[in-house]
């Protein structure tokens, strides 16, 4: 396991002068943040028994990630019978071994046992040294115990801290009692206290105190710990999962997910899952990976996502399942990703790391450096491509290397819009669509546990507006320019760039139609309870939409754009700004999120039950994803409501028919699976547009 190369500093943490478990989660607010920044940990931790070891491993996972080194000094409790049987140091070690191994074999608390296993792994991999301290006087062992409770931690920025207090090191104390301790920092004027604790520890550890006899952990006890330790990093991560998140293993595969996994393995571990948003693509893909890792050794996995915020969601899911060591290798999360990738590939060839999982973006995944490093690896490789339709673009398609042995593509819409050649390429690369569970199935098939459909049924309300005369005139002029370019040439790159610009400008007229603002007022006023609402709009519309929400007193609300950060921050309690906003939205703190494109793909907003679409492209990938934002299941959510602003000119000339055709593609898609399909069809007939396509 490689160390963290980033500069770690305790000064990032807002310390309290003391902590009390009666009113504070000391693991969450002290151990975890401190050990996340620490590279060295010295600890005096009560008796040498399973409970003390379990206590000492609180929050230790982050410390392991830092390649930290721990020195643990434990006391030993000797009964009168033990003291009578001890004549020399060898006798003492025999007693310690007997008592400890007996204790180890009788641990009936799984969580405590898992903590001890974790420290066993640290011993086996040279992350941990344990010594035993026995009270003595003139070379005679006595019945008293080493009862000091001190912790000393160091970061790699020359900062250190100590903590000491009750920290009751018994099973009852760990689970039920209230513990408190004070913290002293080297950089805030507490050097005297920190120096005293450090001197005490070093005095004991080096066996320089005449009243304490300190020895290495007896061989049999050490071997007993190593014997129960995880044998590799895959087992280690599964163990860590059980310690820090014991609820996650309760998730079970549904029938459609099991069918998808079987289809992938039956297709030589290649293929595409075409599964509707909210039907468990990610979990299904990771269960494919889990099965591969259970069957094979030394597999390098690459999970590539279109956006950084999706990478972080995958990181959480991978960590939940404890599948392997995660490497975030992309620029916005890790400025040293190239050096880290080189180190990882070197370690892989030396077999010093097992089953690593690289999380990256499509952009990094397709870069020359990334491709060259991956191609050098001689072992088995697996690629999971989230929203794989993006990889049909020339910018990214170079990342689809032939060296990936196992390939899994994920998308609700695997075809690349208006590009048959790119679509055929990505379908062939991944092995075609081998399993499909689309929105129609998800809205009709029922979950066997709660007997609900997998997605929330929805009602669809298309609402018509017209362009103003000026807007229609500008749309007509752009259409004429587009027609001229198409008649000149369809192959020249310059013409294609000019065409793209004109098409974008023309679509922007429809998206930003001025009459949509009056329609927004009407839709909002019709809502009896305008909360858990998402409004999709354009950059241009966003300020006006926010103002309208204020005027209608629909607050609090918040924008959700590219400017809201995707990286975790202490400012938001360890969440990213986006995660924090979504959390507050789920809780009802924010009634409305006003989004541009950042909620299009992959972002989970399960509590949302209403959406207003003011702006949309003609690309089905986008509007299908936007519909998917409100169809995920959520407690108490029985139905979703989609309001769609549609531009339908009254005239029926060629230009108007073009506008109507573009709009109707989306409408007909949404109507097909809506619960109020009949009333929607009647509305389109009333508009006189059903024959326009």
């Amino acid at each position: 396991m490689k160390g963290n190369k980033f500069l770690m500093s305790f000064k990032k943490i807002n310390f309290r002068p003391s902590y009390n478990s009666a009113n504070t989660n000391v693991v969450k607010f002290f151990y975890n943040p401190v050990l996340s920044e620490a590279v060295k940990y010295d600890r005096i931790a009560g008796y040498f028994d399973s409970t003390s070891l379990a206590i000492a491993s609180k929050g230790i996972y982050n410390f392991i990630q830092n390649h930290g080194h721990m020195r643990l000094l434990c006391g030993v409790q000797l009964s009168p019978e033990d003291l009578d049987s001890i004549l020399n140091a060898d006798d003492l070690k025999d007693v310690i071994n007997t008592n400890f191994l007996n204790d180890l074999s009788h641990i009936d608390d799984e969580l405590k046992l898992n903590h001890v296993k974790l420290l066993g792994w640290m011993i086996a991999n040279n992350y941990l040294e344990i010594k035993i301290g026995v009270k003595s006087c003139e070379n005679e062992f006595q019945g008293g115990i080493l009862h000091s409770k001190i912790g000393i931690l160091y970061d790699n920025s020359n900062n250190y801290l100590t903590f000491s207090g009750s920290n009751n090191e018994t099973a009852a104390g760990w689970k039920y009692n209230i513990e408190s301790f004070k913290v002293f920092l080297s950089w805030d004027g507490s050097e005297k206290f920190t120096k005293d604790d450090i001197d005490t520890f070093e005095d004991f550890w080096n066996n320089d105190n005449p009243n304490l006899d300190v020895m290495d952990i007896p061989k049999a006890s050490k071997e007993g710990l190593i014997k129960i330790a995880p044998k590799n990093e895959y087992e280690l991560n599964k163990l860590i999962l059980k310690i820090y998140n014991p609820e996650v293993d309760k998730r079970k595969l549904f029938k459609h997910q099991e069918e998808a996994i079987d289809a992938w393995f039956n297709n030589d571990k290649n293929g595409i899952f075409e599964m509707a948003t909210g039907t468990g693509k990610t979990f299904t893909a990771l269960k494919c990976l889990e099965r591969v890792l259970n069957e094979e050794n030394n597999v390098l996995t690459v999970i590539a996502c279109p956006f950084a915020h999706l990478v972080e969601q995958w990181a959480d899911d991978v960590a939940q399942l404890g599948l392997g060591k995660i490497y975030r290798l992309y620029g916005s999360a890790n400025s040293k990703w190239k050096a880290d990738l080189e180190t990882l590939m070197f370690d892989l060839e030396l077999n010093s790391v097992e089953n690593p999982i690289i999380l990256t973006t499509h952009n990094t995944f397709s870069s020359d450096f990334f491709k060259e490093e991956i191609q050098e690896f001689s072992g088995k490789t697996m690629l999971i491509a989230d929203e794989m339709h993006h990889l049909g673009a020339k910018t990214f398609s170079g990342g689809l290397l032939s060296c990936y042995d196992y390939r899994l593509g994920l998308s609700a819409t695997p075809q690349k819009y208006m590009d048959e050649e790119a679509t055929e390429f990505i379908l062939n690369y991944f092995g075609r669509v081998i399993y499909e569970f689309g929105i129609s199935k998800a809205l009709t098939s029922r979950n066997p546990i709660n007997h609900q459909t997998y997605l929330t049924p929805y009602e669809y309300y298309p609402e018509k507006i017209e362009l103003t005369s000026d807007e229609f005139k500008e749309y007509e002029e752009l259409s004429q320019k587009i027609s001229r370019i198409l008649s000149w040439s369809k192959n020249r790159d310059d013409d294609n760039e000019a065409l793209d610009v004109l098409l974008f400008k023309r679509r922007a007229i429809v998206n930003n139609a001025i009459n949509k603002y009056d329609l927004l007022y009407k839709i909002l006023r019709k809502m009896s309870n305008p909360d858990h609402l998402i409004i999709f709009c354009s950059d241009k519309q966003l300020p006006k939409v926010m103002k309208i929400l204020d005027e209608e007193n629909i607050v609090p609300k918040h924008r959700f754009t590219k400017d809201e950060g995707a990286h975790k921050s202490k400012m938001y309690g360890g969440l990213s700004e986006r995660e924090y906003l979504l959390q507050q939205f789920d809780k009802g703190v924010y009634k409305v999120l006003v989004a541009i494109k950042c909620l299009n793909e992959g972002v989970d907003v399960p509590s949302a039950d209403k959406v207003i679409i003011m702006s949309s492209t003609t690309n089905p990938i986008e509007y299908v994803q936007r519909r998917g934002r409100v169809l995920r299941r959520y407690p108490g959510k029985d139905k979703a409501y989609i309001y769609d602003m549609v531009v339908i000119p009254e005239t029926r000339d060629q230009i108007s028919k073009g506008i109507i055709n573009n709009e109707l593609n989306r409408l007909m898609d949404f109507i097909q699976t809506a619960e109020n399909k009949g009333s929607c069809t009647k509305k389109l007939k009333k508009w006189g547009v059903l024959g326009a396509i």
Side-chain angles (χ1 to χ4, degrees), residues 411-481:
S411 180
T413 49
Q415 290 74 25
K416 190 172 189 311
Y417 180 57
M418 294 185 68
D419 194 333
E420 291 184 10
E421 184 179 347
T423 295
E424 193 63 19
F425 170 73
I426 55 177
L427 292 179
N428 285 334
Y429 177 82
F430 284 100
R432 318 298 294 184
V433 175
I434 57 166
Y435 190 78
E436 184 269 331
F437 195 78
I439 189 169
S440 180
K441 287 183 181 178
L443 286 168
T444 54
S445 303
R446 293 192 177 274
N447 179 328
I449 297 175
N450 57 25
H451 306 293
Q452 293 181 321
T453 54
Y454 288 100
L455 294 182
T456 307
Y458 70 94
E459 292 184 1
Y460 180 54
Y461 296 97
E463 303 290 347
K464 178 170 71 88
I465 66 154
E466 292 186 56
L467 298 177
T468 65
S469 57
D470 287 342
E471 288 170 341
F472 189 84
K473 181 179 179 182
E474 185 180 359
Y475 189 97
E476 188 175 33
E477 290 172 352
L478 288 170
S479 296
Q480 291 169 353
K481 292 179 181 178

Side-chain angles (χ1 to χ4, degrees), residues 467 471-472 474-483 486 499-512 618 654-655 658-659 662:
L467 298 177
E471 288 170 341
F472 189 84
E474 185 180 359
Y475 189 97
E476 188 175 33
E477 290 172 352
L478 288 170
S479 296
Q480 291 169 353
K481 292 179 181 178
I482 290 168
S483 296
L486 290 174
L499 179 63
D500 289 342
V501 170
L502 292 173
L503 288 169
F504 179 82
K505 286 183 177 180
R506 188 175 70 173
R507 185 63 200 173
I509 294 171
V510 173
N511 282 338
N512 298 317
T618 57
Q654 200 62 34
I655 299 295
I659 296 173
N662 286 337

Side-chain angles (χ1 to χ4, degrees), residues 328-345:
R328 288 176 174 83
L329 300 181
Y330 59 100
S332 58
N334 179 0
S335 60
K336 297 180 180 179
W337 72 265
K338 291 183 178 180
D340 287 351
L341 179 56
E342 283 183 320
T343 301
L344 170 60
M345 302 312 292

Side-chain angles (χ1 to χ4, degrees), residues 463 516-536 544-555 557 591-594 610-614 643 645:
E463 303 290 347
K516 290 185 176 182
Y517 297 119
D518 286 339
L519 181 54
L520 179 60
Y521 280 110
K522 292 177 183 177
I523 293 173
L524 292 172
R525 289 168 184 173
K526 282 196 295 186
M527 288 183 180
S528 59
N529 188 20
D531 61 356
H532 291 109
L533 167 66
I534 297 174
I535 301 176
F536 284 107
K544 178 68 173 176
V545 170
M546 298 292 280
K547 183 179 179 183
I548 289 172
L549 290 170
D550 283 333
E551 291 172 0
E552 295 298 300
N553 198 31
I554 302 175
V555 292
K557 82 287 185 196
K591 288 187 174 183
V592 186
L593 291 180
V594 183
K610 293 177 283 292
V611 63
I612 299 173
I613 301 174
M614 295 184 67
Y643 300 86
M645 297 188 182

Side-chain angles (χ1 to χ4, degrees), residues 48 53 69-70 93 96-102 104 116-132 205 215-231:
F48 178 60
L53 296 184
H69 187 80
M70 181 176 182
K93 290 182 179 180
I96 292 172
N97 282 326
T98 300
N99 291 347
F100 178 72
L101 293 175
N102 181 62
L104 195 63
V116 176
K117 287 179 178 179
L118 181 58
L119 291 192
W121 185 90
M122 292 178 67
I123 291 173
N125 291 274
N126 300 315
Y127 288 82
L128 170 66
E129 296 175 77
I130 298 180
K131 290 187 178 183
I132 308 294
W205 185 262
M215 66 188 74
D216 291 332
I217 178 176
K219 183 178 179 182
S221 296
K222 182 176 181 180
E223 289 175 347
L225 283 168
I226 293 173
K227 185 177 180 179
I228 67 170
K231 300 302 182 289

